[in-house]
Amino acid sequence: LFGKLKRAYEVLSDPHQRAIYDCLGEKGLEEQGWEVVQRTKTPQEIREEYEALARVREERRLQQKTNPTSRLEMTINATDLFDRYLYDSEYDDLIEGDFPHFEVSKMSLSQSIQAPLTPSDTATLAGNINTSNGTGSGSLSCGLRRVTSESAWQEAEVGVGSGLSLGAKMYRKLSERNFVNMSGTLQFSRKGLKPAFECSLGTHLDKYTAGYLRYSTNFRLQETEDSFMLREEDSGMCTMVVRNTERYQTTASLQFGIPYTYAMLAHTWKLPEKKRKFRGALKVGTFGAILEYGVEEKIT
């Protein structure tokens, strides 16, 4: 009783809460996100603000439940910007135009959405379309993940695109620090079956650092005149150390495999207050050297 009297006194003595209570009752006081409501506002204005807050809350709840994500990637070929400076001035007449020529050589769009079915089961629907140098493709997949315990989950997936694709994934926590991820796919294509397998063993070295040991391989099953032949297309063993803090993320990895062996060092600077990230990476291997750099900014 004393608590109810204290709550009633707090509401009646506060003009902001009193105005909300007079129009909407206790349910209005339970709503979060109110601006300061003065007695000069009409009951209709207070109700409209309450309904707007309720819509925002429902949209936020739905978004957290379905977790929709979209990704758009575009590759721009700017070779002409540099090639024109490699020629002598006597070839100026052969260079078309005074300005460098840019072209979009690759573009892809992907979308996914999740639908919780039960507290332990979640369905995921994903699709993507992409085009590269005038050739387009796309795929659609549906997956079902079941969380069996706090330390394990399994997922099955089926997709269509370049043929039928079946896949399975699993995660299991082995100890307080160690965990394992495994995945396998089987794709039915015009050139034959393409099985793939990946296994990753991870360990938490400290609060911000994790180490991984990963093995992956891809095969192709082809039919010959008198038998079937299983040929390994590529495989590799990779060891990786990742340190991820609020301000930066650093990744160092070394991979031995077919057809490439390489070492990579990547660093990402995070600016949470500006919702921006800067990334740089250097990869050196049997294919030569690759330098990558980029920026990511959160718009909404």
Side-chain angles (χ1 to χ4, degrees):
L1 181 61
F2 177 76
K4 293 182 178 179
L5 291 174
K6 181 181 178 183
R7 176 58 176 162
Y9 175 77
E10 290 176 351
V11 172
L12 296 177
S13 60
D14 185 353
H16 165 66
Q17 298 187 62
R18 176 69 180 273
I20 297 173
Y21 180 80
D22 289 345
C23 294
L24 303 169
E26 291 188 16
K27 66 177 182 179
L29 296 174
E30 295 173 357
E31 186 67 50
Q32 302 294 323
W34 284 100
E35 296 181 1
V36 176
V37 178
Q38 303 295 341
R39 294 292 296 181
T40 53
K41 282 194 174 183
T42 65
Q44 181 63 26
E45 291 174 334
I46 295 177
R47 285 195 190 89
E48 291 175 354
E49 185 174 348
Y50 171 77
E51 292 173 356
L53 290 172
R55 286 195 299 270
V56 171
R57 185 190 65 223
E58 181 64 20
E59 291 175 359
R60 187 180 296 113
R61 185 191 66 81
L62 183 61
Q63 188 175 37
Q64 290 174 347
K65 194 173 182 180
T66 59
N67 191 28
T69 57
S70 300
R71 186 177 185 89
L72 174 65
E73 294 185 5
M74 184 183 299
T75 301
I76 299 177
N77 186 350
T79 307
D80 190 50
L81 178 64
F82 305 96
D83 281 355
R84 61 177 52 229
Y85 297 106
L86 300 179
Y87 300 105
D88 295 331
S89 57
E90 60 186 72
Y91 297 101
D92 288 347
D93 295 339
L94 301 178
I95 299 177
E96 298 180 0
D98 296 330
F99 298 98
H101 175 70
F102 299 95
E103 65 176 10
V104 178
S105 59
K106 184 177 180 181
M107 181 181 294
S108 65
L109 174 64
S110 59
Q111 173 79 38
S112 67
I113 187 170
Q114 295 180 347
L117 305 178
T118 67
S120 59
D121 297 332
T122 302
T124 302
L125 182 65
N128 71 82
I129 55 175
N130 59 77
T131 176
S132 177
N133 296 322
T135 303
S137 63
S139 65
L140 180 66
S141 65
C142 181
L144 178 64
R145 174 177 295 190
R146 167 164 291 183
V147 180
T148 54
S149 66
E150 294 182 357
S151 59
W153 55 260
Q154 296 84 35
E155 181 176 341
E157 184 179 83
V158 59
V160 292
S162 300
L164 178 65
S165 176
L166 304 175
K169 301 177 183 178
M170 63 85 64
Y171 165 86
R172 186 169 185 83
K173 191 174 182 181
L174 303 177
S175 65
E176 189 65 27
R177 288 192 171 188
N178 302 318
F179 58 93
V180 62
N181 277 298
M182 298 178 66
S183 65
T185 60
L186 182 62
Q187 184 176 4
F188 299 82
S189 65
R190 295 180 178 178
K191 298 181 179 180
L193 293 177
K194 296 180 63 178
F197 173 77
E198 181 175 308
C199 180
S200 177
L201 179 64
T203 180
H204 295 285
L205 303 176
D206 59 33
K207 182 179 179 181
Y208 300 107
T209 310
Y212 302 89
L213 182 63
R214 185 176 68 237
Y215 171 75
S216 61
T217 182
N218 293 296
F219 295 91
R220 183 184 293 276
L221 183 63
Q222 294 179 318
E223 183 180 4
T224 61
E225 294 181 357
D226 55 354
S227 64
F228 291 92
M229 181 178 64
L230 184 63
R231 181 168 57 89
E232 188 175 30
E233 292 192 327
D234 60 79
S235 65
M237 178 73 75
C238 175
T239 180
M240 180 186 305
V241 177
V242 180
R243 182 169 179 82
N244 189 9
T245 69
E246 295 181 356
R247 288 292 178 179
Y248 67 89
Q249 176 178 323
T250 302
T251 302
S253 67
L254 179 63
Q255 170 156 326
F256 298 94
I258 302 171
Y260 301 119
T261 295
Y262 62 88
M264 185 191 72
L265 180 63
H267 187 80
T268 301
W269 292 268
K270 303 178 183 179
L271 303 176
E273 60 278 1
K274 296 184 179 181
K275 300 180 181 180
R276 189 177 303 159
K277 297 179 182 179
F278 296 94
R279 180 180 183 273
L282 177 63
K283 187 183 293 186
V284 180
T286 54
F287 48 77
I290 298 177
L291 177 64
E292 298 178 357
Y293 53 91
V295 60
E296 176 183 317
E297 183 159 355
K298 188 174 182 180
I299 301 176
T300 63

